[in-house]
């Protein structure tokens, strides 16, 4: 398997809580940033999605916190899509400290919403294959 897509992030002081570690809600922001970075790296813009009458939706997200992150920590946020052939797909993400230690594991279930019908499209992988300049970034 190839190395998952990743983006670097520096934990900023204003993102920490009273104990001095990264606030739980910020992990979701980091995960979303990595996902959109992958989408853009694959050659898909938000306007292209909307112009195609579809948009990605989050259906479920689970975060497992493993190690604390402090202001100034440099991390990599990974992103790998997994396909099962149905209307949904999984996104596996890790927040990795500079030494490779896993600070958090994030698992999401997503889909592609038909913006007119307000229903999930039957084959979300086909949407990414059609729109992406580099569908390999999605594991396709």
């Amino acid at each position: 398997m190839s190395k998952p897509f990743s983006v670097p992030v520096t934990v900023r002081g204003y993102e920490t809580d009273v104990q001095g570690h990264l606030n739980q809600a910020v992990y979701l922001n980091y995960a979303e940033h990595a996902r959109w970075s992958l989408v853009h790296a694959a050659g898909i813009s938000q306007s292209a999605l909307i112009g195609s009458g579809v948009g990605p939706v989050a259906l479920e997200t689970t975060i497992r916190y493993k190690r604390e992150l402090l202001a100034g920590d440099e991390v990599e946020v990974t992103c790998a899509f997994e396909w099962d052939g149905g209307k949904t797909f999984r996104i596996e993400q890790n927040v990795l400290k500079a030494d490779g230690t896993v600070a958090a594991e994030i698992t999401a279930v997503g889909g592609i919403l038909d913006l007119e019908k307000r229903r999930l499209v039957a084959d979300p992988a086909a949407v990414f294959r059609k729109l992406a300049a580099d569908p390999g970034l999605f594991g396709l």
Side-chain angles (χ1 to χ4, degrees), residues 40-62:
H40 290 151
I44 302 173
S45 66
Q46 288 175 309
S47 61
L49 286 164
I50 299 301
S52 297
V54 298
V57 291
L59 303 169
E60 176 183 316
T61 304
T62 302

Side-chain angles (χ1 to χ4, degrees), residues 8-77:
V9 177
T10 301
V11 176
R12 296 164 288 254
Y14 63 83
E15 296 172 325
T16 60
D17 60 20
V18 71
Q19 289 89 6
H21 47 67
L22 188 63
N23 179 277
Q24 63 183 355
V26 179
Y27 286 86
L28 293 172
N29 289 332
Y30 288 5
E32 186 79 0
H33 172 63
R35 290 192 297 267
W36 277 109
S37 294
L38 185 153
V39 169
H40 290 151
I44 302 173
S45 66
Q46 288 175 309
S47 61
L49 286 164
I50 299 301
S52 297
V54 298
V57 291
L59 303 169
E60 176 183 316
T61 304
T62 302
I63 304 173
R64 287 170 298 283
Y65 304 98
K66 301 290 190 173
R67 298 285 183 273
E68 68 181 353
L69 293 175
L70 306 172
D73 282 350
E74 300 286 338
V75 299
E76 288 285 326
V77 184

Side-chain angles (χ1 to χ4, degrees), residues 100-139:
T101 302
V102 176
E105 298 169 340
I106 303 165
T107 302
V109 176
I112 299 292
L113 185 69
D114 179 311
L115 298 175
E116 184 178 321
K117 296 177 184 173
R118 308 309 286 180
R119 299 274 184 239
L120 293 178
V121 300
D123 187 358
V127 172
F128 284 119
R129 275 192 208 95
K130 177 183 174 188
L131 295 175
D134 184 0
L137 288 175
F138 294 105

Side-chain angles (χ1 to χ4, degrees), residues 82-106:
E82 297 178 359
W83 306 92
D84 67 4
K87 290 183 178 183
T88 64
F89 50 86
R90 291 172 58 90
I91 306 170
E92 294 292 337
Q93 297 184 263
N94 286 312
V95 180
L96 304 169
K97 296 177 83 162
D99 66 2
T101 302
V102 176
E105 298 169 340
I106 303 165

